[in-house]
Amino acid sequence: MQKQEQIVKMFDNIAPTYDVANRVLSMGIDISWRKYACKQTLLKIDQDDLNIVDVACGTGDMMGMWKNIADDMDKDIHNLIGIDPSSGMLKQGQEKFPNFIFKQAFADNTGLDSNFADILSISYGIRNVVARKEALAEFNRVLKMGGYVVVLEFTKRKKAGPITRIRDFYLSSILPKIGAFISKDKEAYEYLPSSIDSFLDSESFCKELVRAGFEIVECKGFSMDISTLFIAKKVKSC
């Protein structure tokens, strides 16, 4: 089995407990990170009647956030589409949000039309995409010129120090135990710190976004840089 298929199968297995684990492991702080990302992006767009795509949508949390924040700002969403390769995650998402559109597809091959989306988001999923450069090219294709890609992700810290050690201790020693207890899947939550370790630091990921035809609008770390937000504007087609 290829690595990407193994990752998808892992998410299929933990889908029923995924939401509970997320809230417990982040102590609910991820909700504020998502709210900030949605609001800051929507403030940059004057138009209504938006097309928003959420890739690696999981159980639809970010989609729900886009809808709530857009409603609060009196912005209309014409299309809100969730993309994920995991059938288990999509099943949970469809049960939570029966009126949302979910589509089973990979990040590097969404099957969406070119120049379709005003906003494309991916939250805590890009590090799980094996074909990351191909996925970024796909995001560029799907977005309209001037549209925004919004990424929330766990990134590596470039400099060691007390904060890094505290963060790494939580991710490597505490998080896997709690995640395994909730999901009964030890391997899945041991994968998380290793996937962060094999991902990029924020500066390196910004460079990848630029190479993929985007201009960095905002790069912001949250909670000791456990999570990083990237907002980037499509400035050229690749």
Side-chain angles (χ1 to χ4, degrees):
M1 186 183 296
Q2 295 181 355
K3 183 180 178 182
Q4 190 67 79
E5 293 172 342
Q6 290 176 326
I7 294 170
V8 173
K9 185 179 179 183
M10 179 189 73
F11 280 104
D12 282 338
N13 292 339
I14 64 173
T17 58
Y18 185 74
D19 284 343
V20 174
N22 266 6
R23 294 293 89 81
V24 171
L25 292 170
S26 72
M27 294 171 282
I29 300 172
D30 69 300
I31 296 173
S32 67
W33 302 338
R34 294 172 192 270
K35 281 182 179 178
Y36 180 92
C38 293
K39 186 173 182 179
Q40 288 300 113
T41 306
L42 289 170
L43 283 170
K44 301 178 193 309
I45 297 179
D46 293 330
Q47 73 189 72
D48 290 328
D49 204 27
L50 301 167
N51 290 336
I52 299 178
V53 176
D54 187 46
V55 178
C57 65
T59 65
D61 275 0
M62 195 65 173
M63 298 171 72
M65 191 65 72
W66 282 119
K67 178 69 168 61
N68 291 340
I69 300 297
D71 287 348
D72 289 345
M73 299 175 68
D74 293 322
K75 289 184 177 289
D76 295 322
I77 299 178
H78 183 62
N79 288 294
L80 178 58
I81 301 173
I83 303 286
D84 202 291
S86 166
S87 59
M89 288 291 184
L90 294 177
K91 180 176 181 292
Q92 297 294 321
Q94 199 74 72
E95 290 175 0
K96 279 170 61 179
F97 301 107
N99 296 324
F100 286 1
I101 299 171
F102 292 91
K103 175 180 167 65
Q104 188 171 8
F106 287 91
D108 62 329
N109 184 17
T110 64
L112 298 174
D113 292 339
S114 297
N115 305 306
F116 168 76
D118 299 286
I119 298 170
L120 185 149
S121 60
I122 180 166
S123 302
Y124 310 106
I126 194 66
R127 76 183 188 286
N128 299 317
V129 177
V130 174
R132 186 173 65 247
K133 291 181 182 178
E134 291 82 357
L136 294 180
E138 174 74 350
F139 298 171
N140 182 288
R141 182 189 70 79
V142 170
L143 277 167
K144 298 174 184 176
M145 188 62 69
Y148 291 91
V149 62
V150 181
V151 182
L152 279 163
E153 192 50 273
F154 302 116
T155 51
K156 286 195 295 190
R157 287 177 60 91
K158 289 190 75 172
K159 296 180 180 178
I163 292 175
T164 303
R165 286 194 290 272
I166 292 169
R167 188 191 90 147
D168 290 349
F169 176 75
Y170 174 75
L171 291 174
S172 63
S173 301
I174 297 175
L175 184 147
K177 290 182 174 64
I178 298 173
F181 176 77
I182 294 171
S183 68
K184 311 305 178 191
D185 190 325
K186 181 182 178 183
E187 184 178 350
Y189 286 92
E190 287 178 340
Y191 162 79
L192 177 61
S194 67
S195 69
I196 297 170
D197 192 52
S198 60
F199 190 56
L200 306 172
D201 59 66
S202 58
E203 183 181 342
S204 298
F205 186 62
C206 281
K207 289 178 180 177
E208 281 200 357
L209 287 168
V210 170
R211 286 194 291 268
F214 297 100
E215 178 184 274
I216 306 301
V217 174
E218 183 167 359
C219 177
K220 178 180 176 64
F222 298 106
S223 303
M224 298 187 295
D225 289 340
I226 287 175
S227 175
T228 306
L229 166 66
F230 305 86
I231 302 176
K233 186 176 183 178
K234 177 179 173 179
V235 292
K236 65 179 181 179
S237 298
C238 294

